[in-house]
Amino acid sequence: MEKTKSFKYHTQESNLGLSTTDRRLAYVRQASYNQSQLQEPPHTPISIFPDESAKPFLSRSISNIDTISHHDKYFEKLSCFRALRSGNRQMKRLFLLISLNVAYSTAELAIGLFTGRVGLVSDAFHLTFGCGLLTFSMFAMAASRQKPDFAYTYGYKRLEVLSAFTNALFLLFMSFSLAVEALHAFIQDESEHKHYLIVSAVTNLLVNLIGVWFFRNYARINLVYRNPEDMNYHSVCLHVLADSIRSAGLILASWFLSLGVQNAEVLCLGIVSVAVFMLVMPLFKVTGGILLQMAPPSIPSSALSKCWRQIVSREDVTEVSQARFWELVPGHVVGSLSLQVKKGVDDRPILQFVHGLYHDLGVQDLTVQIDYD
């Protein structure tokens, strides 16, 4: 009697559609969760018998999972600040440069408000906006060190590309504003030029020259980017270099005006505008191409076409479609491919052939989808 009752008790089904004797789901999830998150030995699994007072495993553990996930998010936010504190040499140099610019722009803003000089206030706001972009570059350096997670499966490396693109966009806007300022100086009377701005320009030039010295290894126009860090450092160097050229142009224009040279401000600002535009345009094109997921420039289109033809020439492949290749970050090429193969063919040799073919071209991550006729 007891055996029959016990047998019926253990063979009835729960609401989950599983036999109540099957505890494998609860046990495996409990063990893996504790080992990966809490680093504790596995607990005895909670029974899912319907007549027991204990709740199912998922409903009991959901509060613990939520609590730990909130703590993980909190620690992820703090990891950026830890990276800033224990950052590399370039990051510490950038922090020092930002501090100098913030101190100088604050002093310039205070003097401009106290003396009522609009030129100083305008230049202080320009420097403040530039400090914001440099701060974003430093944040990108710190955040890019985080590992990939469920939200960002490729990681945070592309933040450095976005930071470089933002700096390039700001410098293009500065080039356009300098061209407008040169046109305005051509229309108005140059005798009204504020010569006191030369003091501000000299101080700003000295501060920016410190930044140029910090990132002097990246002071090139066409730089070969081996990783996203190179792109971000290059954008910071171009930022301070463009500000230095702008300050030098203002100093030169003020000096020429003091000598009585006509249209000196128009000439100097025009030259600075063209120089900044030519300096930053290559970086703008490269970063924009990566963010738009253009074909990687490191791999010629003829090489991709050759690989396509080699795959199609196989007897077991009937069609190749949806071939897409792009650069995730500098030095990391990603691609995807769809193959139509004959039914009943072993796809392992095909996958090995395709992966080896594109790996030789420099494609690090390749996803191949195989469909059968």
Side-chain angles (χ1 to χ4, degrees):
M1 181 66 180
E2 291 296 332
K3 293 182 178 180
T4 305
K5 183 178 179 179
S6 176
F7 177 77
K8 291 181 180 179
Y9 179 76
H10 285 285
T11 54
Q12 66 181 34
E13 294 186 350
S14 64
N15 296 331
L16 298 176
L18 299 173
S19 172
T20 53
T21 58
D22 193 350
R23 304 185 186 180
R24 290 174 298 173
L25 177 63
Y27 180 79
V28 171
R29 299 186 64 158
Q30 180 74 32
S32 61
Y33 174 75
N34 286 327
Q35 290 174 358
S36 60
Q37 299 290 340
L38 302 180
Q39 298 297 327
E40 295 179 0
H43 298 288
T44 304
I46 299 173
S47 175
I48 55 176
F49 294 169
D51 60 342
E52 293 187 6
S53 59
K55 294 182 180 180
F57 167 74
L58 293 179
S59 62
R60 285 194 61 181
S61 59
I62 187 171
S63 60
N64 297 332
I65 294 176
D66 290 341
T67 303
I68 294 177
S69 64
H70 288 314
H71 284 297
D72 290 342
K73 292 179 181 179
Y74 176 73
F75 288 125
E76 285 177 0
K77 293 178 181 178
L78 291 180
S79 62
C80 294
F81 297 99
R82 294 198 201 99
L84 290 177
R85 186 175 59 182
S86 61
N88 55 16
R89 188 177 182 181
Q90 300 293 349
M91 192 181 301
K92 293 178 180 178
R93 286 180 171 182
L94 181 58
F95 179 76
L96 178 60
L97 179 63
I98 293 173
S99 302
L100 291 175
N101 275 280
V102 169
Y104 170 67
S105 62
T106 303
E108 189 178 31
L109 179 62
I111 294 174
L113 293 175
F114 182 75
T115 58
R117 300 185 182 278
V118 182
L120 292 178
V121 176
S122 176
D123 189 64
F125 277 107
H126 168 80
L127 291 177
T128 303
F129 190 72
C131 289
L133 292 176
L134 293 178
T135 304
F136 178 62
S137 297
M138 186 174 62
F139 168 77
M141 294 176 189
S144 62
R145 296 184 175 188
Q146 297 187 35
K147 297 180 179 180
D149 51 28
F150 292 106
Y152 298 92
T153 54
Y154 278 109
Y156 297 82
K157 290 291 185 181
R158 237 186 193 188
L159 269 177
E160 305 224 46
V161 181
L162 181 61
S163 172
F165 176 79
T166 307
N167 275 313
L169 192 63
F170 168 74
L171 294 179
L172 286 179
F173 175 77
M174 188 180 75
S175 173
F176 175 75
S177 64
L178 288 174
V180 173
E181 189 176 351
L183 181 62
H184 181 69
F186 179 75
I187 297 175
Q188 73 172 4
D189 186 8
E190 289 188 344
S191 61
E192 297 180 359
H193 181 72
K194 306 298 188 298
H195 297 281
Y196 62 85
L197 287 177
I198 189 173
V199 179
S200 173
V202 169
T203 309
N204 191 18
L205 177 61
L206 294 177
V207 174
N208 285 320
L209 285 179
I210 297 176
V212 174
W213 172 257
F214 284 165
F215 298 93
R216 60 188 181 276
N217 294 331
Y218 301 92
R220 304 174 187 174
I221 298 179
N222 295 314
L223 186 67
V224 178
Y225 307 111
R226 295 171 297 179
N227 49 59
E229 288 83 3
D230 290 345
M231 181 172 287
N232 198 7
Y233 295 152
H234 188 212
S235 70
V236 172
C237 181
L238 292 184
H239 186 122
V240 294
L241 184 60
D243 270 346
S244 301
I245 296 175
R246 171 179 171 270
S247 300
L250 292 176
I251 295 171
L252 194 62
S254 299
W255 182 58
F256 282 159
L257 286 175
S258 63
L259 297 178
V261 179
Q262 297 295 327
N263 296 324
E265 186 178 10
V266 178
L267 179 62
C268 291
L269 291 179
I271 293 176
V272 170
S273 175
V274 174
V276 172
F277 180 83
M278 296 179 63
L279 192 68
V280 74
M281 198 60 191
L283 177 64
F284 180 77
K285 289 181 178 180
V286 174
T287 54
I290 292 178
L291 294 177
L292 291 175
Q293 294 185 341
M294 295 177 60
S298 59
I299 302 178
S301 58
S302 59
L304 294 175
S305 301
K306 183 179 179 180
C307 291
W308 180 295
R309 292 191 299 269
Q310 289 180 357
I311 297 173
V312 175
S313 62
R314 290 179 62 97
E315 296 181 356
D316 45 10
V317 177
T318 59
E319 185 182 359
V320 180
S321 61
Q322 298 179 3
R324 299 182 179 93
F325 300 92
W326 67 96
E327 210 171 18
L328 180 66
V329 292
H332 193 135
V333 180
V334 181
S336 63
L337 197 66
S338 179
L339 301 180
Q340 193 83 16
V341 300
K342 297 179 180 180
K343 188 175 181 180
V345 174
D346 187 9
D347 56 3
R348 285 177 296 179
I350 302 176
L351 291 175
Q352 292 177 358
F353 175 76
V354 173
H355 278 276
L357 203 61
Y358 284 103
H359 180 75
D360 293 339
L361 286 181
V363 180
Q364 285 82 3
D365 291 338
L366 180 64
T367 301
V368 179
Q369 177 184 347
I370 292 184
D371 298 322
Y372 296 91
D373 292 337

